[in-house]
């Protein structure tokens, strides 16, 4: 069981390497980078095959929470290994694990937060669920469906379009706010504020 003093683990999902940095599939990394910035820390390599930042989110004092933000150094479909290793290392209850990921079935920029559920064909979630079970939080960042007959795999591994990039910083900022609200104020408050 999770208690208020238990740390939180935020897994920003993506693929490592500069060639993937701007891809739709890497929006989880973008949100993780912003959270690290807010925590005033830099990512460091961890033996779990991930880069991590440790710190606090929320107002200093009673409402701040101990948080580990991580970016797996494995590829997306192997995200479960680093997630499990970090969960074990930091003794994080599964109910305090948050996966931030791209979601095809939600319009671009829209957010949906939930606890548990299926993987909807997302290989990163599939890997985490296989390792941890399904009872972790998800912050789902909408990227929309591919145009025409473009294969899904090609679409998610393409960079955001120039039109999408004009609003990307705003949407990433909003997703980071949603993660922070989830951790500090709980799922219900975060859903009420950010689910669209």
């Amino acid at each position: 069981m999770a208690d208020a003093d238990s740390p939180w683990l935020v897994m920003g999902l993506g693929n490592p390497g500069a060639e993937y940095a701007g891809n739709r599939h890497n929006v989880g990394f973008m949100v993780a980078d912003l959270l690290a910035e807010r925590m005033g820390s830099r990512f460091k390599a961890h033996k779990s095959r991930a880069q991590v930042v440790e710190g606090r989110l929320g107002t200093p004092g009673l409402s701040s929470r101990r948080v580990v933000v991580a970016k797996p150094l494995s590829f997306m479909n192997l995200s479960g290994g680093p997630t499990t290793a970090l969960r074990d290392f930091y003794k994080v209850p599964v109910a305090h694990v948050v996966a931030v990921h791209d979601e095809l079935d939600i319009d671009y920029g829209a957010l949906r937060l939930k606890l548990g559920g299926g993987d909807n064909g997302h290989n990163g979630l599939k890997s985490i669920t296989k390792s941890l079970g399904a009872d972790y939080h998800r912050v789902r960042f909408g990227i929309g469906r591919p145009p025409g007959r473009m294969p899904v795999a090609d679409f998610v591994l393409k960079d955001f379009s120039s039109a999408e990039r004009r609003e990307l910083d705003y949407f990433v900022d909003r997703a980071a706010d949603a993660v922070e609200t989830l951790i500090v104020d709980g799922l219900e408050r975060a859903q009420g504020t950010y689910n669209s």
Side-chain angles (χ1 to χ4, degrees), residues 38-159:
R38 290 180 180 186
M39 292 161 70
S41 236
R42 292 183 187 277
F43 282 98
K44 296 183 176 82
H46 190 272
K47 63 183 180 181
S48 62
R49 294 190 340 267
Q51 292 184 316
V52 302
V53 165
E54 298 176 55
R56 298 189 83 82
L57 286 173
T59 310
L62 287 179
S63 74
S64 81
R65 301 284 182 264
R66 194 156 62 98
V67 180
V68 177
V69 177
K71 299 190 295 184
L73 293 173
S74 60
F75 282 93
M76 179 71 84
N77 59 347
L78 299 172
S79 300
T83 304
T84 303
L86 288 167
R87 189 243 2 226
D88 293 347
F89 183 84
Y90 289 102
K91 298 179 174 46
V92 177
V94 174
H96 279 195
V97 174
V98 182
V100 184
H101 64 92
D102 57 302
E103 179 62 60
L104 286 161
D105 288 335
I106 302 174
D107 291 340
Y108 173 63
L111 295 174
R112 299 265 166 69
L113 288 80
K114 68 177 189 169
L115 173 62
D119 56 56
N120 204 22
H122 192 289
N123 289 329
L125 295 183
K126 204 174 285 186
S127 178
I128 293 173
T129 298
K130 189 175 174 187
S131 296
L132 292 186
D135 295 328
Y136 57 92
H137 288 89
R138 298 101 192 275
V139 175
R140 304 155 70 205
F141 185 111
I143 60 169
R145 301 292 306 177
R149 294 178 172 220
M150 181 188 289
V152 165
D154 292 347
F155 179 69
V156 300
L157 293 175
K158 281 198 178 314
D159 286 0

